[in-house]
Amino acid sequence: MSAPLRPRPAAPHGPAASRDRAVPGARATSRLLTVGVVGAGRVGAVLGAALAAAGHHVVAVTGESGASRARLALLLPEVPRHPAVAVAHAAADLLLIAVPDDALAGVVADLAERGALHPGQVVAHTSGAHGLGVLAPVTAAGARPLALHPAMTFTGTPDDLARLDGISYGVTAPAELRPLAARLVTDLGGVPEWVAESDRPLYHAALAHGANHLVTLVNEATDRLRDAGVGRPEKVLAPLLRAALENALRLGDDALTGPVSRGDAGTVRRHLARLNATAPESVPAYLALARRTADRAIAAGRLRPVEAQSLLGVLADSGREVAA
């Protein structure tokens, strides 16, 4: 059973409150906000519920699909559903737009063209890939733009609320909005990471590379263990992967182990031969990651260049075979 929502103080206390008072404009961020949420996907529904738990007034949401209605029934059961324009009108202080990256520009432009935005209103999106540029129509309407991306994967259930504590948010904001942005992140239980507008694509690429590709990599390893006759591959992988992840986060490239970091060309050659026979679709990814692992091992001094020559030759030969 999911843990019940625990209301969070509407404003920070103690040292955090003192820091807010020391920031110009912070006093204006201490009041509760009237909030609307456009997009009841996994992120929007959860962040809306978290803002409500922090004491803010979430007064309207969008959500027409069956999945969206189910999420809202779990997370924001008392908040009325309305079309996006009505939600924007109702969001006197903060309009949170949580829609797919490629849909964001169109949603923002439509709301601006239909006069749904108003001066002084903060319009925040949750896209990691976009910064403030996509919110140009917001600025033109006199509203204030904010990019507020939670660095977390979401299921769209109440279980997500516990995972928000301590996570980072990639924030891009005009200088005058930084106190408010910091306050919102604090209310959500998170920590702001200030990301420059020009760095948003790199920031998002790093997160996607680390999290999304990790899921693919784990599932590839699981499939290959099944091919090898392992009945419960997740049981084999779980302690190994947890240790590898913890070591990588703590030690960086010093956590590298395995045949590539040792320059074991013969072992890698046998890996590739068996993969090619059993699951040729896995070979290109193995080659790419092995080559990048070798590069990092060499740069970190874990693998001497002279010891890497045979290994790099095996990877190059196999790469040419795949290309052919």
Side-chain angles (χ1 to χ4, degrees), residues 183-230:
R183 155 80 191 292
L184 286 173
V185 171
T186 297
D187 285 352
L188 291 167
V191 178
E193 290 290 340
W194 304 102
V195 181
E197 178 77 7
S198 60
D199 288 333
R200 293 294 292 199
L202 183 60
Y203 159 82
H204 193 242
L207 295 183
H209 192 33
N212 304 152
H213 296 172
L214 176 63
V215 174
T216 301
L217 180 61
V218 170
N219 287 329
E220 282 277 301
T222 301
D223 289 345
R224 299 298 74 80
L225 283 173
R226 288 196 186 98
D227 292 340
V230 176

Side-chain angles (χ1 to χ4, degrees), residues 75-324:
L75 291 161
L76 293 166
E78 298 180 2
V79 178
R81 290 182 296 106
H82 294 294
V85 170
V87 171
H89 280 301
D93 300 310
L94 172 65
L95 179 63
L96 186 69
I97 303 179
V99 299
D101 292 346
D102 288 351
L104 180 58
V107 170
V108 171
D110 183 65
L111 291 174
E113 289 169 4
R114 298 173 70 179
L117 308 179
H118 58 264
Q121 180 186 44
V122 174
V123 179
H125 71 69
T126 60
S127 168
H130 291 288
L132 302 182
V134 73
L135 296 176
V138 169
T139 304
R144 298 181 290 171
L146 176 62
L148 192 73
H149 174 254
M152 176 51 63
T153 183
F154 288 79
T155 63
T157 67
D159 292 335
D160 288 338
L161 292 166
R163 299 189 184 103
L164 294 181
D165 283 333
I167 73 167
S168 295
Y169 286 74
V171 184
T172 304
E176 67 274 12
L177 269 190
R178 280 197 168 204
L180 174 62
R183 155 80 191 292
L184 286 173
V185 171
T186 297
D187 285 352
L188 291 167
V191 178
E193 290 290 340
W194 304 102
V195 181
E197 178 77 7
S198 60
D199 288 333
R200 293 294 292 199
L202 183 60
Y203 159 82
H204 193 242
L207 295 183
H209 192 33
N212 304 152
H213 296 172
L214 176 63
V215 174
T216 301
L217 180 61
V218 170
N219 287 329
E220 282 277 301
T222 301
D223 289 345
R224 299 298 74 80
L225 283 173
R226 288 196 186 98
D227 292 340
V230 176
R232 294 184 59 194
E234 67 282 356
K235 185 176 184 299
V236 175
L237 285 172
L240 174 65
L241 296 182
R242 290 193 182 103
L245 178 58
E246 289 172 3
N247 288 341
L249 292 174
R250 184 168 56 92
L251 301 173
D253 286 327
D254 283 344
L256 284 172
T257 63
V260 171
S261 68
R262 293 191 297 265
D264 290 342
T267 298
V268 171
R269 182 182 292 108
R270 288 189 290 275
H271 287 180
L272 288 164
R274 187 57 190 272
L275 281 172
N276 194 54
T278 305
E281 68 276 12
S282 290
V283 172
Y286 182 102
L287 283 170
L289 287 170
R291 179 57 199 251
R292 188 65 184 127
T293 299
D295 291 342
R296 296 191 72 99
I298 293 168
R302 304 282 296 178
L303 177 63
R304 293 191 303 168
V306 65
E307 296 169 341
Q309 289 180 0
S310 294
L311 170 70
L312 296 176
V314 168
L315 297 176
D317 291 343
S318 297
R320 284 190 289 270
E321 291 173 8
V322 169

Side-chain angles (χ1 to χ4, degrees), residues 6-125:
R6 297 193 302 272
R8 211 176 263 122
H13 298 281
S18 298
R19 285 195 298 271
D20 268 359
R21 285 194 295 269
V23 178
R27 181 179 298 178
T29 71
S30 62
R31 66 185 179 85
L32 299 178
L33 304 177
T34 299
V35 182
V37 181
V38 171
R42 297 179 180 185
V43 176
V46 170
L47 292 188
L51 288 169
H56 297 291
H57 307 300
V58 180
V59 295
V61 296
T62 65
E64 295 302 320
S65 71
S68 293
R69 292 186 183 196
R71 287 188 202 98
L72 293 175
L74 282 172
L75 291 161
L76 293 166
E78 298 180 2
V79 178
R81 290 182 296 106
H82 294 294
V85 170
V87 171
H89 280 301
D93 300 310
L94 172 65
L95 179 63
L96 186 69
I97 303 179
V99 299
D101 292 346
D102 288 351
L104 180 58
V107 170
V108 171
D110 183 65
L111 291 174
E113 289 169 4
R114 298 173 70 179
L117 308 179
H118 58 264
Q121 180 186 44
V122 174
V123 179
H125 71 69

